[in-house]
Every structure is written in C-alpha cells, then in structure tokens.
Amino acid sequence: MSKQVDIEESWHAALSNEFNATYFNNLITFLKEEKKAGKVIYPSGSQIFAAFNHTPVHQVKVVIIGQDPYHGHGQANGLCFSVNKGIPIPPSLQNIFKELANDLAPDYEIPTHGDLSNWAKQGVLLLNATLTVEKDKAGSHQQKGWEQFTDAVIRHISERGRNIVFILWGRYAQQKASFIPTDKHLVLTAAHPSPFSAYQGFFGCKHFSKTNDWLEKKGLSKIQW
C-alpha cells in the first residue's frame, strides 16, 4: 500500500509504517467501496494529502489541527480551514481572519479569498484530524482510521521536531494534546472558530501573535499571516 500513496517524499519515508498497517489498508478499502457505491467524497483524491505536499516534514514550524474537510461542493482542498480562490470564505475562516485582524492590528488586512496555501508554504501544517468526508455529511468519515493516522503524524512531529507551535481549536483538536510534550513545544488551545463557539474563547486568544513571539524567541522566522 505504501507505494500507492501519493504524498510528499519526506512524509512518505516518515509514515511508511502507517501506510503498510492493517488499519490504513482497511481505510483505503472503505474509501474505494464508498466511491464504488456512487458516493461523492471530498477532497478529490489528488488533494487528500495536500497538507503534507505543501509542507515537508523538516519545514514544519506550526501545526493547526482542524476536524473534517469542508463537505460542500468545491470547498475542500486538503488544507484545514482553507478554500481555493473564488470559493466563498466559510464562517469559521471568516472568524479566523477577524481574530487575525484584531490580534495583529493595525498591520493585518483581511484577505478577499480563503486560500491558506501561503501559510502552508511557510511551514504551517494545516492538518485535519480526518482527511476525507462524504458530500454534505459532516463527520461521515470519522472513526474509519484517519484519526489513528493523524495521531501518528502528530507523534512523529512531536518526537522528532523541536520548538513547534501546536494550535488546537475546539475539543476535537485538543484531544491530540495528550501526546505533545510541552517541555519541547508550545501548545495553544482555545474554542473552535465556528460561529457556534467563537465567542467562548476563540476571539481574543491572540494565537497568531503568540506563535510569532515564540518562533522569534527560538530564532525562527515568523509566519507572515
């Protein structure tokens, strides 16, 4: 199975044991059967591992963990919270931009698009805990194996990396915190930026300036948000 996974070379080497594991083979079988049954799955096959393809292992400085890909037509592009240019900016991302504008005022101007690939190119791994979803069915591919895979990703980064910032918004993402050593890394937690919870601690969290302050103290280049 390892050879069949279209993923950036450094990640392929780092995660080869996962690609050959029984759970991952079962996950691939599940996805193939869903497609065979005529179900529409997001993102497209070539974009499932987009987060890894944009941000090789050795370039990771920040990890933002989302839950599922967007499940509406044309939205999911393999980077959590991100949508391609030309796609309306989803509410959670609108709130992320609002917090950025407040956090980095007056130096931040809210963009007119929701494409976050520029963050990814600077070392921000935009990782969903679950990498696929059925059209119009949020959470439909949870507990199929993706969580085990992304746990392995976080463990690898935590163990091999140093001075990485992990940004965990909402309880689902915060479940990953248990195996991130805080003596090596910075873990930032807040409510999810969804309209349902953004006013419960996401707004005002200042995670973007805190991230850059940490990176600067560690002698690393700041993220141009």
Side-chain angles (χ1 to χ4, degrees), residues 11 51 54-65 80 119-127 153-154 157 161-169 180 185-188 207-216 220-225:
W11 284 111
H54 276 86
T55 315
V57 174
H58 59 280
Q59 292 181 12
V60 175
K61 296 195 293 187
V62 180
V63 181
I64 298 179
I65 301 176
C80 73
W119 295 6
K121 290 170 186 171
Q122 297 178 71
V124 182
L125 183 68
L126 295 166
L127 180 68
V153 171
I154 299 300
I157 298 169
R162 194 157 193 87
N163 300 327
I164 290 166
V165 182
F166 291 85
I167 297 177
L168 311 178
W169 294 326
I180 303 171
H185 308 294
L186 177 64
V187 178
L188 299 174
H207 281 180
F208 304 100
S209 59
K210 288 176 181 177
T211 293
N212 279 345
D213 288 347
W214 168 273
L215 293 174
E216 196 168 32
L220 301 167
S221 57
K222 297 190 289 187
I223 305 299
Q224 300 301 314
W225 302 106

Side-chain angles (χ1 to χ4, degrees), residues 24 38 73 92 96 130 140 145 174 194 196-197 201 225:
F24 195 85
H73 175 71
S92 291
I96 289 170
T130 302
S140 51
Q174 287 161 21
S194 158
F196 299 109
S197 55
W225 302 106

Side-chain angles (χ1 to χ4, degrees), residues 110-123:
I110 292 178
T112 56
H113 62 81
D115 179 7
L116 303 181
S117 59
N118 185 52
W119 295 6
K121 290 170 186 171
Q122 297 178 71

Side-chain angles (χ1 to χ4, degrees), residues 40-85:
V40 177
I41 295 174
Y42 297 137
S44 64
S46 63
Q47 293 183 310
I48 290 174
F49 296 105
F52 305 91
N53 296 335
H54 276 86
T55 315
V57 174
H58 59 280
Q59 292 181 12
V60 175
K61 296 195 293 187
V62 180
V63 181
I64 298 179
I65 301 176
Q67 188 164 332
D68 292 326
Y70 294 121
H71 54 82
H73 175 71
Q75 290 183 303
N77 65 7
L79 305 177
C80 73
F81 296 107
S82 175
V83 292
N84 291 334
K85 290 176 181 175

